[in-house]
Amino acid sequence: MNLEVLSISDNQELQNVVIDRIRELINYKNLEPNDKLPSERMLSEKFNVSRGVVRGAIQKLEFYGLLKSIPQSGTFVANVGAIAMNGIVDDILQLEAPDFKALVETRILLELKTVKLASLRRTDEDLKLMKSALNAYAKKVLNNENAVQEDLLFHLAIAKASKNSTMNTFMLSITPEIITNFTKYHVCDDDLAISGIQEHTDIYEAIKDQNPTLAKEKMKVHFKTLYQYCYNK
């Protein structure tokens, strides 16, 4: 799994431009409900932005139900009335970029749920993905290298295993900002990385054993420092 590290603050304005332009295509009947959206490449060329910006805009519109993705078919305009669609887009464009503490708090709330779902729904392929991320994390930590990205890739693998596409998309949307700001805000000290290996292993084993209660408890242990950061406990 590769993770493209982008800053939400750097890209939100461009994503909003793309969202507004897609809205215009729908309002002016260039796109009708159930029409297939042009490819990311075509939209990036049309709007003169990167494909990553287009992808982020599409993910937001999917999250709010204005677009829908059908595997192996593409992304389509949802059957939403013009008044509702414009109201939702206005709300999206007025959203402020979340502060870092809010992102971390959101991550905690999401992951306590996704880890339980992953315990119930994980496949052997999901376990392989988690184990790969766990091994990559441990290797970097033991070599005294920064392993923040590998840490979060492990958690993204858990989100994927939850089989909840909305939670997975939400995790994907907030993860890049968390990665780029962990060091800036001094959330986790380097000496916690070693203990993180065992904590990740405990979470993995609970998911492997399909024990959602234990998996949630092990995730809470892993998030002890994040709890302290968010709530000053």
Side-chain angles (χ1 to χ4, degrees):
M1 181 190 295
N2 294 320
L3 187 64
E4 184 179 4
V5 180
L6 298 171
S7 169
I8 289 176
S9 57
D10 290 341
N11 287 278
Q12 182 169 347
E13 186 174 347
L14 285 174
Q15 286 182 8
N16 284 350
V17 170
V18 173
I19 288 171
D20 199 37
R21 295 290 299 277
I22 291 175
R23 188 234 306 253
E24 288 179 1
L25 290 175
I26 297 172
N27 278 334
Y28 291 108
K29 307 299 182 183
N30 297 100
L31 286 172
E32 300 272 2
N34 300 316
D35 280 353
K36 184 176 180 179
L37 208 66
S39 68
E40 287 181 6
R41 180 184 59 79
M42 292 177 65
L43 289 175
S44 68
E45 293 174 356
K46 182 179 181 65
F47 300 146
N48 195 29
V49 296
S50 71
R51 292 179 64 173
V53 168
V54 171
R55 189 176 307 118
I58 289 174
Q59 286 176 346
K60 282 186 181 179
L61 291 172
E62 285 182 314
F63 180 77
Y64 287 98
L66 299 180
L67 298 177
K68 55 184 178 181
S69 286
I70 300 177
Q72 300 179 336
S73 295
T75 303
F76 297 81
V77 178
N79 191 13
V80 177
I83 293 176
M85 185 271 295
N86 280 295
I88 294 171
V89 170
D90 285 341
D91 288 342
I92 295 172
L93 298 180
Q94 291 170 15
L95 285 174
E96 296 181 3
D99 61 69
F100 183 65
K101 186 172 287 189
L103 286 171
V104 173
E105 183 176 46
T106 300
R107 179 191 169 194
I108 292 172
L109 295 172
L110 275 174
E111 291 212 58
L112 291 179
K113 186 63 177 178
T114 57
V115 75
K116 292 183 69 175
L117 292 177
S119 299
L120 298 170
R121 301 172 177 175
R122 97 295 184 275
T123 64
D124 289 343
E125 189 61 34
D126 292 322
L127 291 175
K128 290 179 183 178
L129 194 62
M130 283 180 237
K131 187 65 172 177
S132 176
L134 171 56
N135 290 340
Y137 172 80
K139 182 178 179 180
K140 276 202 168 184
V141 169
L142 295 175
N143 285 334
N144 294 315
E145 299 177 43
N146 184 298
V148 170
Q149 182 165 328
E150 285 71 23
D151 178 12
L152 287 168
L153 285 174
F154 174 74
H155 291 274
L156 286 177
I158 293 173
K160 184 175 183 292
S162 76
K163 303 297 184 278
N164 183 303
S165 59
T166 300
M167 287 185 177
N168 190 35
T169 298
F170 207 17
M171 278 291 292
L172 285 167
S173 71
I174 67 174
T175 295
E177 188 79 349
I178 292 175
I179 287 178
T180 56
N181 284 291
F182 251 138
T183 303
K184 176 182 176 181
Y185 290 98
H186 306 288
V187 177
C188 296
D189 297 327
D190 291 339
D191 58 358
L192 293 175
I194 291 290
S195 61
I197 297 174
Q198 185 60 53
E199 290 167 7
H200 279 186
T201 302
D202 290 342
I203 294 167
Y204 170 80
E205 291 296 336
I207 293 173
K208 182 180 178 181
D209 293 340
Q210 295 190 299
N211 188 331
T213 301
L214 181 60
K216 182 178 179 180
E217 289 305 312
K218 293 300 183 181
M219 186 66 79
K220 283 184 176 180
V221 171
H222 183 52
F223 280 165
K224 179 180 178 181
T225 302
L226 297 186
Y227 273 111
Q228 292 172 339
Y229 173 75
C230 287
Y231 309 116
N232 298 315
K233 292 183 178 180

